Amino acid sequence: MTEIEFVGYSAVHPSDFIYDVPNGFTGYLLLLFDSPSELLIDGRLMRTAANSAILYTPGSRIYYRAAGEEYRNDWIRFRSDHSFVKLFPLTNTPFPVTDPEYCHQLFKLLTWESAFFSSESEANITHLLRVLFSKLREGIQNESPSIHDHELIALHKMIYNNPQLPWNINMMAAKLHLSPSHLQALYHRQFGSSCMDNVIEGRLRRAQDLLEYSEYSIRDISEQCGYNNVEHFCRQFRQHNGCTPGQYRKNASAGSNKRLLTHNTLEGREFEKINRNIRKL
């Protein structure tokens, strides 16, 4: 069972904001900090950075405030008897969030789902909370968190969403205000691959999709995938896929026709079976 009491996102408060509930709540309180904050933990005031979170358990002392600047957060007060909440590995202590934008979007969805309650809302809310807690676990399980983790994840998403951009190491490093060598070391540690390997993978995945589901020429596809030279595109495509773009399109088309033929044949057999049954009547 999951019951949301209050939920909100992108809350903004002035620099003198203080929130103090000495005896806590009867349910849980989950906060996602979008600005530096100060929290009272075990009687000691400690500062936590933006892109961190805390899960307060029922009855726990709650005290947090702005850290000398505008305070921003997402938050949810809720009750739950699900194990993914009750067995969450870290409570009443702040922890880093590796993908704050992803979590922020989940807070939005939880807010909208609770505002327009329907017969499916409780199940939807539980699913959304399960995904949110799964994401939050990543920040706790990261053995060597870096202040650049969320920026690296944002870059990773941007590469795959925009493979056609003229990506290069210097451009990426400038986005994160890092040296090229430092960026490559952090990126490889985070994802197990290089930045440019992911660029190539993203471009070729898009090329495969366009070859299979569009009628663009191979030259047009190479341009849409960020290649300035169609010969280079074809050479790289063959290295990674074992065939040329033209062969890939032909094979994909043959596969589609084969599936259609099989589908039609089955339909034909089923139709003939129905006819035989009708003739027996």
Side-chain angles (χ1 to χ4, degrees), residues 96 98 139 142-149 189:
T98 55
N142 189 351
E143 296 179 356
S144 54
S146 162
I147 59 173
H148 299 292
D149 281 350
R189 188 200 69 184

Side-chain angles (χ1 to χ4, degrees), residues 32-37 49-52 72-74 100:
L32 177 62
F33 299 108
D34 189 37
S35 63
S37 310
N51 303 315
S52 58
R72 303 179 305 277
N73 75 349
D74 301 332

Side-chain angles (χ1 to χ4, degrees), residues 29 39-42 46 54-62 90-95:
L29 172 64
L39 298 85
L40 193 64
I41 306 295
D42 296 327
M46 65 175 292
I54 187 170
L55 176 65
Y56 287 106
T57 54
S60 299
R61 171 72 190 272
I62 298 170
L90 189 61
T91 59
N92 305 312
T93 301
F95 55 88

Side-chain angles (χ1 to χ4, degrees), residues 67-263:
E69 56 186 81
E70 182 181 76
Y71 174 87
R72 303 179 305 277
N73 75 349
D74 301 332
W75 55 281
I76 178 171
R77 274 175 51 194
F78 66 102
R79 301 171 186 270
S80 178
D81 57 6
H82 290 287
S83 59
F84 66 84
V85 176
K86 297 172 70 174
L87 300 179
F88 193 70
L90 189 61
T91 59
N92 305 312
T93 301
F95 55 88
V97 177
T98 55
D99 196 345
E101 181 56 31
Y102 187 101
C103 294
H104 174 67
Q105 296 302 324
L106 288 170
F107 271 96
K108 281 186 177 182
L109 293 173
L110 284 163
T111 303
W112 298 339
E113 190 65 48
S114 64
F116 301 100
F117 198 82
S118 69
S119 59
E120 301 294 326
S121 288
E122 184 175 343
N124 292 341
I125 286 169
T126 298
H127 291 322
L128 290 169
L129 266 182
R130 189 184 300 275
V131 174
L132 176 58
F133 272 76
S134 175
K135 268 295 176 186
L136 293 174
R137 277 177 176 267
E138 294 178 4
I140 297 172
Q141 295 168 349
N142 189 351
E143 296 179 356
S144 54
S146 162
I147 59 173
H148 299 292
D149 281 350
H150 64 282
E151 295 173 332
L152 290 169
I153 290 172
L155 175 62
H156 189 72
K157 292 177 182 176
M158 194 180 300
I159 286 172
Y160 279 99
N161 287 335
N162 304 278
Q164 77 284 357
L165 295 180
W167 294 104
N168 59 67
I169 296 299
N170 290 335
M171 169 191 177
M172 300 179 200
K175 282 182 176 293
L176 272 65
H177 306 288
L178 297 170
S179 69
S181 59
H182 192 196
L183 167 63
Q184 292 184 83
L186 291 175
Y187 194 96
H188 192 276
R189 188 200 69 184
Q190 183 83 359
F191 303 111
S193 58
S194 74
C195 310
M196 292 310 299
D197 281 347
N198 283 166
V199 169
I200 294 169
E201 182 181 350
R203 288 174 173 173
L204 295 181
R205 282 174 60 185
R206 176 166 292 187
Q208 289 172 349
D209 189 64
L210 290 171
L211 286 166
E212 190 164 354
Y213 298 107
S214 81
E215 296 182 357
Y216 290 115
S217 69
I218 291 174
R219 181 175 296 277
D220 287 342
I221 289 174
S222 71
E223 292 176 356
Q224 290 185 44
C225 294
Y227 291 91
N228 296 323
N229 184 292
V230 68
E231 287 77 16
H232 176 56
F233 163 65
C234 291
R235 184 166 55 253
Q236 203 164 72
F237 190 96
R238 183 165 189 165
Q239 288 173 350
H240 284 75
N241 294 285
C243 62
T244 66
Q247 290 169 333
Y248 183 91
R249 170 171 272 171
K250 184 177 180 180
N251 293 339
S253 178
S256 297
N257 290 336
K258 185 176 181 180
R259 289 193 294 273
L260 181 61
L261 179 62
T262 302
H263 179 68

